Amino acid sequence: MSISPLLARSSRVLSRTSSRLISRYTPSSPSSSSSIRSLVTPTSSGSSSNGKSSSRKYLPYALIGIPASLLIMPTISAESPSDEDKPVKPLSSLEASSLSSLIRSYLVYTLICTPGLVDYSPTILHSFTHSFIPGLKGITEYIVRLTFFGQFVPGETVEECLPTMSNLHERGVGSMLNYSAEADLGASPAEEVDLEEQAREERLQEVFRALQKSGEFEKSLPERDRGATSFALKVTGLIDPPILTRASTTLLRCRPLTYSAQPISANSPPQVPYPGTPQSTDARIVARDPSMGDGKELLSLNGVLGSMGVLNTDEGLRKGDLEELSNLWGKLKKIGQAAKDNGIVLLVDAEYTWMQPALDAYTTLLSAEFNIPPPKGSEEFKSWRGPLIYGTYQSYLTRQPTHLIAALKHAEDNGYALGIKLVRGAYFDKERKKWKNEGREGADPIWPDKSATDSSYNGSLNTVISTLSTQLASKKPELALSVIFGTHNPDSCDLICDGLKQVGLATELPDGRLQLREDVQGKVGVAQLYGMKDDLTDKMAAKFVFDGRPIAIKYIAYGKLAEVMPFLGRRAIENKSLMSGDQGAAAERRRVGSEIWRRMF
């Protein structure tokens, strides 16, 4: 945008000041590449032994830089290459970013590097936005909008996200939308019930609206490029979460159990550790219809299940819960149908283990409803692209290996294609604290360290790729799974590429790129969060020949600023492990700082 000479001069002065601050903490020659690291990495902590000195080191520059950036950001225009210098290949994320957005990113990552700030961010945000001090809420929201919100959230509505989605698509990157609004924690107890009920209805309507707008975006693309847009659904936003917790406790008490690590029979998988794995009989609790009776017998179930982490004091279903659960199932079926009508893949997000059994049950029911291929020879079969519903599989849970095997077998036995979003997981601290504080039997449900979690993730990765190869070579290739690998780990991305080559699902071309086999196209994706690890997203986009269905995907959160702020604070804590260590925020800050240095000097 045009600016006055005086303002331009001020911006240049501030820009030089910022660059000096940046250069002080930016390497003079960034590393262009690195050798492959060990696939089993050591445990990384959220802070180093010199955390206090690091805090003093970064915080003054962050506090100085923020006011400067607030003046610079609204005035500096995007620095796009001229038509004469425009390269043939798409711009990388750094090349496509304006100088103002790069400065914002640098400041955000510097703040994230400040020890303790991430842990207290939800409390700080809530205190400032609900303060009695006049103007503090407005100032806080203004700063958050220009920093963290601008970094991790591209818009308040789907429409505001569309330009970002279009730009990503032009660079060979798909979009996974997520409506990230959360309830206002500042409401009084008397208002909470009505406000939350209203909020749940608004979230439901927003899901339908988002699916429709996403479908319109898909239809605007060339036909060969369609099918790469997806929507991540947070089921806990559609029902009172304690109901899911009570339903999960009852599900665990109802499911058949064995205390042996061996299979019940030759055709059944071994017992799956807490929180278990879904069963076909789960529908009588989470999707009960009148033909099943009133279910009163389910309300009186009690007892301890040590192997499943259930205490006698854990509350089961209350009167009225079955009706609420049945209503939720009705809503989920409508959402599934809307996703199908609009050609949008629907991914069910995972939650805490104490409500995961109910979420697993709903995911399985949705999969059995919408992931069954049309009859061969039909017009619908010609356009069949694989599963519509994806479940989220958290590798940091000790149940992951056996849970994944059980899910694959259930899909095979029931004639549907399994959709998989494979992630490491984010709820470490709360899971461990709850298990310990409540005195549950045995070890908590999380692997003991990061190395074990990495091994679980990589093992599941290999299982998924080898199973996909086997299924595509079978007599029913239409039942082959589809997968989105959610990872910020470069080594895991290398494993994905190597695995696809090893089983013949991809061929390496002379220029080093990978060409997916035709029947694999659209069945494999690799996702990172929007605003994080853009270099890894660029790497995966460039690694594969673009066939219209992007391999690289960005998870895009959106929502109004006031609604999304609780999400931003909570997400910062959940992803603290992602932002620490050699590949975390410090690496992101160095990468962005090097680009700022290159442009200025």
Side-chain angles (χ1 to χ4, degrees):
M1 65 179 71
S2 62
I3 54 178
S4 67
L6 180 59
L7 191 54
R9 182 179 180 183
S10 300
S11 295
R12 286 194 296 271
V13 172
L14 287 169
S15 183
R16 292 193 192 100
T17 303
S18 297
S19 70
R20 294 192 190 102
L21 296 177
I22 291 167
S23 63
R24 185 170 182 177
Y25 294 100
T26 303
S28 58
S29 57
S31 175
S32 59
S33 62
S34 59
S35 59
I36 302 299
R37 289 173 290 277
S38 171
L39 291 178
V40 180
T41 56
T43 305
S44 63
S45 60
S47 61
S48 60
S49 59
N50 62 344
K52 292 183 180 179
S53 61
S54 298
S55 177
R56 290 193 295 267
K57 176 180 178 182
Y58 295 128
L59 189 56
Y61 293 97
L63 296 177
I64 293 172
I66 285 178
S69 69
L70 298 182
L71 293 174
I72 295 172
M73 284 185 211
T75 59
I76 296 180
S77 61
E79 295 190 352
S80 307
S82 64
D83 292 339
E84 296 179 355
D85 299 328
K86 188 175 181 180
V88 175
K89 67 178 182 178
L91 297 175
S92 70
S93 57
L94 283 181
E95 294 169 333
S97 298
S98 66
L99 182 58
S100 58
S101 66
L102 290 173
I103 293 174
R104 179 199 64 211
S105 297
Y106 188 88
L107 291 169
V108 168
Y109 290 131
T110 298
L111 287 170
I112 291 175
C113 287
T114 304
L117 181 63
V118 170
D119 293 326
Y120 293 104
S121 57
T123 302
I124 294 171
L125 287 174
H126 183 264
S127 297
F128 282 15
T129 55
H130 292 81
S131 173
F132 62 88
I133 300 175
L136 183 57
K137 177 181 179 182
I139 294 172
T140 302
E141 291 183 348
Y142 181 73
I143 293 175
V144 171
R145 182 181 293 278
L146 291 182
T147 54
F148 289 90
F149 186 87
Q151 179 67 24
F152 300 114
V153 183
E156 295 191 342
T157 65
V158 176
E159 288 88 347
E160 291 182 7
C161 294
L162 290 178
T164 297
M165 294 166 65
S166 296
N167 292 336
L168 288 172
H169 182 78
E170 290 174 3
R171 295 184 6 233
V173 180
S175 299
M176 182 191 304
L177 285 169
N178 173 246
Y179 180 52
S180 301
E182 297 189 357
D184 181 8
L185 298 178
S188 65
E191 297 173 321
E192 280 182 356
V193 175
D194 290 339
L195 285 176
E196 187 55 29
E197 184 62 36
Q198 179 182 349
R200 283 194 285 269
E201 181 58 31
E202 290 174 353
R203 292 183 202 122
L204 176 63
Q205 295 308 315
E206 176 57 31
V207 170
F208 289 124
R209 183 174 172 279
L211 292 172
Q212 179 184 350
K213 294 298 180 181
S214 299
E216 293 173 1
F217 171 76
E218 280 283 303
K219 292 173 184 176
S220 71
L221 302 175
E223 188 171 352
R224 68 184 289 269
D225 292 6
R226 297 174 188 171
T229 304
S230 54
F231 186 88
L233 178 67
K234 193 176 183 67
V235 177
T236 49
L238 305 178
I239 190 174
D240 189 18
I243 296 178
L244 293 175
T245 300
R246 295 193 292 269
S248 295
T249 298
T250 300
L251 282 169
L252 292 178
R253 286 174 173 151
C254 286
R255 288 173 180 171
L257 297 173
T258 173
Y259 292 93
S260 169
Q262 300 300 317
I264 300 173
S265 66
N267 295 322
S268 64
Q271 179 191 346
V272 178
Y274 175 85
T277 197
Q279 307 286 324
S280 297
T281 55
D282 290 348
R284 61 178 174 158
I285 292 175
V286 299
R288 195 173 189 86
D289 62 53
S291 65
M292 300 177 182
D294 57 18
K296 287 183 179 180
E297 72 282 0
L298 299 172
L299 306 183
S300 58
L301 286 177
N302 54 41
V304 177
L305 293 175
S307 64
M308 282 291 111
V310 178
L311 301 175
N312 193 52
T313 54
D314 288 340
E315 184 181 11
L317 289 170
R318 294 179 183 175
K319 184 178 181 182
D321 284 352
L322 288 173
E323 183 179 357
E324 291 290 332
L325 293 166
S326 179
N327 291 338
L328 175 61
W329 171 233
K331 295 174 183 178
L332 293 175
K333 284 196 294 184
K334 290 179 180 178
I335 291 173
Q337 187 60 50
K340 180 179 180 180
D341 294 341
N342 287 283
I344 303 299
V345 168
L346 188 68
L347 303 104
V348 181
D349 273 349
E351 298 284 353
Y352 297 110
T353 54
W354 50 87
M355 60 182 70
Q356 195 58 45
L359 297 176
D360 289 338
Y362 282 123
T363 304
T364 301
L365 288 171
L366 285 170
S367 299
E369 180 90 8
F370 292 101
N371 291 358
I372 297 178
K376 287 185 177 181
S378 65
E379 287 298 317
E380 286 186 339
F381 185 80
K382 294 178 183 179
S383 59
W384 170 253
R385 295 192 175 187
L388 178 80
I389 307 297
Y390 285 55
T392 301
Y393 294 78
Q394 299 171 293
S395 299
Y396 79 150
L397 297 178
T398 57
R399 75 161 182 170
Q400 172 69 357
T402 46
H403 172 52
L404 179 59
I405 292 172
L408 289 167
K409 187 176 187 306
H410 190 276
E412 179 183 351
D413 291 346
N414 291 275
Y416 65 88
L418 189 66
I420 298 170
K421 183 176 78 167
L422 185 66
V423 301
R424 277 177 167 80
Y427 301 118
F428 295 88
D429 292 340
K430 287 190 177 181
E431 292 284 359
R432 286 212 163 101
K433 287 178 181 177
K434 179 179 174 66
W435 196 271
K436 179 180 179 180
N437 293 342
E438 296 180 359
R440 298 182 187 271
E441 182 178 311
D444 62 59
I446 310 297
W447 292 109
D449 53 39
K450 186 178 184 299
S451 295
T453 297
D454 286 341
S455 296
S456 174
Y457 185 91
N458 294 336
S460 296
L461 183 156
N462 289 327
T463 297
V464 168
I465 290 178
S466 61
T467 301
L468 175 59
S469 176
T470 300
Q471 290 177 336
L472 288 173
S474 70
K475 295 180 180 179
K476 295 183 177 181
E478 66 273 14
L479 292 178
L481 64 84
S482 291
V483 60
I484 294 177
F485 297 102
T487 180
H488 288 207
N489 189 308
D491 293 334
S492 293
C493 290
D494 290 335
L495 262 185
I496 294 166
C497 297
D498 292 341
L500 292 172
K501 287 190 297 182
Q502 289 172 6
V503 298
L505 298 180
T507 303
E508 186 169 7
L509 303 180
D511 62 4
R513 291 184 301 162
L514 296 180
Q515 173 71 66
L516 287 179
R517 223 169 61 190
E518 186 175 357
D519 57 348
V520 185
Q521 294 174 5
K523 300 192 77 62
V524 178
V526 183
Q528 290 85 41
L529 294 171
Y530 179 84
M532 293 174 61
K533 299 301 290 184
D534 289 341
D535 58 331
L536 188 56
T537 305
D538 290 340
K539 173 185 174 181
M540 295 306 293
K543 183 66 176 178
F544 291 83
V545 174
F546 184 67
D547 55 31
R549 304 289 297 279
I551 294 287
I553 299 170
K554 276 297 190 185
Y555 183 102
I556 300 176
Y558 78 94
K560 294 179 181 179
L561 175 61
E563 297 174 322
V564 172
M565 280 208 292
F567 162 84
L568 290 174
R570 182 177 56 80
R571 200 62 189 255
I573 292 178
E574 291 172 4
N575 293 308
K576 183 178 177 180
S577 61
L578 296 179
M579 302 309 292
S580 62
D582 295 337
Q583 299 175 0
E588 292 285 281
R589 182 173 55 85
R590 289 193 298 270
R591 183 176 68 89
V592 173
S594 296
E595 176 65 13
I596 295 173
W597 178 272
R598 183 190 69 79
R599 292 195 189 187
M600 288 185 165
F601 301 98

